[in-house]
Amino acid sequence: MSNVIVMDHPLIQHKVAILRNKETGSKEFREIVEEISMLMCYEATRNLTLEDIEVETPVAKTTAKAIAGKKLGIVPILRAGLGMVDGMLNLVPAAKVGHVGLYRDPDTLNPVEYYCKLPIDAIERDIFVLDPMLATGGSAASAIQFIKDKGVTKIHLMCLIAAPEGVKKVQEEHPDVDIYIAALDERLNEHGYIVPGLGDAGDRLYGTK
Ligand code: URA
């Protein structure tokens, strides 16, 4: 079963509360999403492998640490996942960024991929899929499957707010994928919104409501 890691650092909780507030406007909302993503990235990369490297300081030669092992990739799910990209890139500027776009088929209600462009060396990277709201889990589970179908084996999911239903769906379909969240909310309402949630993340990021 995949791990669910709730990143409830006080700064993250404080910033999530600002996002939840319906009076928070798009500019501040975007800034706070970026800040939370950066804090979550810091936590999620805690276990990256290090290796010894030789460096010469202005004073002496020494051994220091550098990130070793697999490089990182970031894959936001369009459109709301875009809001989390810069926060990740602030800390891992060498990460490559792919994009996945999905829509829901009105007849079957199944997610259909309309866009998927991954880094050329994605299969050699640790991939972080970004989606601020893990609601039913349908989009995230499908996006992860599309990425696996391209040969990627190491995938993490990073969301700001999750509903238990979404966590369960991803855990059942992708038990190998760790899920990082800032808050686990109560439930979904009849419209598929997370309660209490923060409303439509894409609309709030881009002022489209
Ligand atoms: N997507 C959102 O943006 N918000 C929700 O509450 C659920 C899905």
Side-chain angles (χ1 to χ4, degrees), residues 78-181:
L78 301 174
R79 110 189 116 134
L82 291 174
M84 299 174 71
V85 172
D86 285 349
M88 299 281 295
L89 285 177
N90 286 344
L91 292 193
V92 192
K96 295 269 172 65
V97 183
H99 296 87
V100 173
L102 306 164
Y103 70 90
R104 190 169 291 276
D105 183 294
D107 298 325
T108 65
L109 299 183
N110 289 330
V112 181
E113 173 192 312
Y114 68 84
Y115 188 80
C116 182
K117 182 136 189 174
L118 300 184
I120 194 143
D121 56 355
I123 61 172
E124 291 157 21
R125 290 178 181 260
D126 255 21
I127 298 289
F128 282 83
V129 176
L130 308 179
D131 193 3
M133 306 301 279
L134 184 59
T136 63
S139 301
S142 298
I144 291 167
Q145 191 56 55
F146 293 139
I147 295 168
K148 283 184 175 176
D149 290 345
K150 303 260 186 317
V152 177
T153 53
K154 189 66 191 152
I155 301 175
H156 315 259
L157 175 63
M158 191 179 287
C159 308
L160 302 186
I161 299 183
E165 295 90 332
V167 170
K168 184 164 176 279
K169 168 107 177 159
V170 173
Q171 283 187 317
E172 281 172 1
E173 295 194 15
H174 302 290
D176 55 317
V177 171
D178 287 339
I179 307 171
Y180 300 100
I181 56 180

Side-chain angles (χ1 to χ4, degrees), residues 23-132:
E23 303 301 335
T24 301
S26 287
K27 176 178 182 289
E28 190 181 7
F29 194 93
R30 278 194 301 275
E31 289 167 357
I32 301 281
V33 168
E34 182 176 331
E35 288 171 11
I36 296 173
S37 306
M38 194 158 62
L39 292 166
M40 292 183 75
C41 178
Y42 178 76
E43 290 284 332
T45 50
R46 176 173 291 281
N47 295 321
L48 289 182
T49 324
L50 292 170
E51 65 184 356
D52 286 338
I53 56 162
E54 300 300 315
V55 291
E56 193 168 347
T57 79
V59 179
K61 283 190 176 163
T62 187
T63 306
K65 301 286 182 192
I67 305 286
K70 286 172 98 177
K71 295 183 177 147
L72 301 190
I74 300 168
V75 181
I77 301 179
L78 301 174
R79 110 189 116 134
L82 291 174
M84 299 174 71
V85 172
D86 285 349
M88 299 281 295
L89 285 177
N90 286 344
L91 292 193
V92 192
K96 295 269 172 65
V97 183
H99 296 87
V100 173
L102 306 164
Y103 70 90
R104 190 169 291 276
D105 183 294
D107 298 325
T108 65
L109 299 183
N110 289 330
V112 181
E113 173 192 312
Y114 68 84
Y115 188 80
C116 182
K117 182 136 189 174
L118 300 184
I120 194 143
D121 56 355
I123 61 172
E124 291 157 21
R125 290 178 181 260
D126 255 21
I127 298 289
F128 282 83
V129 176
L130 308 179
D131 193 3

Side-chain angles (χ1 to χ4, degrees), residues 133 135 192-194 199-201:
M133 306 301 279
Y193 279 92
I194 299 176
D200 187 300

